[in-house]
Amino acid sequence: MNLFLQDEHATRRLGEALARCLLEHPRVKTVFFYGSLGMGKTTLVSALVKALPGGEKAETGSPSFTLCNIYPTVPPVAHFDFYRQENSSVDESFLDFLEEERHVVLVEWAERLPPRALPPDRLGCSLTPRGDGRQACLAAYGRAAGLMPCLAACCG
């Protein structure tokens, strides 16, 4: 699914839609964000987290120095940022979060992860420049395919 995001407001609306769809499909737990600096990945994650129950208590920000932020939402969110990671390495705590399925796992700079770190059930969101805005390309893998009708209804 391709969406044009004209501005920051449109990016935030997509994050809110992602939150609604994740709540409707609780078996989907991972969203991977791709794109260069300034494409709106952190804005998108912040809007998603704020739209979840308990999100008003979350102080969102990019965890590029801490690697992971945990937010007190329902379900809880583990927000990873792999900007500073080497392509061949992956933090073991990240793999633990993928396996435990209690947290929603949001990953910025997913392109820096080795293929072995990509779970079979995930939503990918690539952000690229397009004119004065951004193009969001959403791709679902495995169980995450169930999110696509919800996202189409919210964003299409």
Side-chain angles (χ1 to χ4, degrees):
M1 171 186 299
N2 290 303
L3 301 167
F4 177 67
L5 305 175
Q6 182 175 340
D7 54 22
E8 184 177 331
H9 183 68
T11 302
R12 290 189 179 284
R13 281 196 320 266
L14 176 57
E16 292 163 0
L18 282 167
R20 281 192 303 277
C21 295
L22 287 168
L23 288 172
E24 287 181 24
H25 296 85
R27 293 184 61 192
V28 178
K29 298 289 187 183
T30 55
V31 184
F32 286 59
F33 298 94
Y34 303 84
S36 59
L37 281 171
M39 284 295 102
K41 295 180 297 295
T42 303
T43 298
L44 193 53
V45 168
S46 178
L48 189 162
V49 169
K50 295 288 185 185
L52 291 172
E56 70 280 356
K57 298 175 189 167
E59 292 185 35
T60 58
S62 179
S64 59
F65 289 100
T66 59
L67 184 63
C68 181
N69 289 339
I70 305 295
Y71 303 121
T73 54
V74 178
V77 169
H79 174 197
F80 288 85
D81 184 320
F82 287 103
Y83 179 71
R84 300 193 185 288
Q85 289 293 109
E86 294 295 323
N87 195 24
S88 61
S89 69
V90 63
D91 187 273
E92 290 303 315
S93 67
F94 170 69
L95 298 175
D96 292 343
F97 275 103
L98 290 178
E99 290 178 12
E100 58 96 44
E101 293 191 15
R102 187 174 79 96
H103 291 80
V104 168
V105 178
L106 306 177
V107 180
E108 292 188 56
W109 294 95
E111 58 269 38
R112 299 196 179 209
L113 288 172
R116 69 179 174 82
L118 300 177
D121 301 312
R122 68 188 184 281
L123 182 70
C125 178
S126 297
L127 299 167
T128 55
R130 181 173 157 212
D132 290 338
R134 284 147 184 71
Q135 184 75 28
C137 178
L138 301 168
Y141 303 88
R143 291 188 297 206
L147 291 173
M148 296 311 273
C150 178
L151 288 168
C154 290
C155 305

mmCIF file of all heavy atoms in Angstrom, residues 23 41 120:
data_model
loop_
_atom_site.group_PDB
_atom_site.id
_atom_site.type_symbol
_atom_site.label_atom_id
_atom_site.label_comp_id
_atom_site.label_asym_id
_atom_site.label_seq_id
_atom_site.Cartn_x
_atom_site.Cartn_y
_atom_site.Cartn_z
ATOM 1 N N LEU A 23 -4.268 -2.357 17.595
ATOM 2 C CA LEU A 23 -5.196 -2.725 18.671
ATOM 3 C C LEU A 23 -6.253 -3.701 18.170
ATOM 4 O O LEU A 23 -6.673 -4.599 18.895
ATOM 5 C CB LEU A 23 -5.857 -1.478 19.264
ATOM 6 C CG LEU A 23 -4.954 -0.603 20.127
ATOM 7 C CD1 LEU A 23 -5.664 0.695 20.489
ATOM 8 C CD2 LEU A 23 -4.505 -1.347 21.377
ATOM 9 N N LYS A 41 10.296 9.095 10.596
ATOM 10 C CA LYS A 41 10.145 7.832 11.312
ATOM 11 C C LYS A 41 9.793 8.068 12.791
ATOM 12 O O LYS A 41 8.856 7.458 13.301
ATOM 13 C CB LYS A 41 11.428 6.993 11.211
ATOM 14 C CG LYS A 41 11.769 6.532 9.807
ATOM 15 C CD LYS A 41 13.050 5.717 9.755
ATOM 16 C CE LYS A 41 14.284 6.474 10.168
ATOM 17 N NZ LYS A 41 14.671 7.591 9.302
ATOM 18 N N PRO A 120 9.109 -13.296 10.795
ATOM 19 C CA PRO A 120 8.256 -13.578 9.647
ATOM 20 C C PRO A 120 6.948 -12.784 9.657
ATOM 21 O O PRO A 120 6.383 -12.518 8.599
ATOM 22 C CB PRO A 120 7.994 -15.080 9.753
ATOM 23 C CG PRO A 120 8.263 -15.430 11.181
ATOM 24 C CD PRO A 120 9.282 -14.441 11.674
#
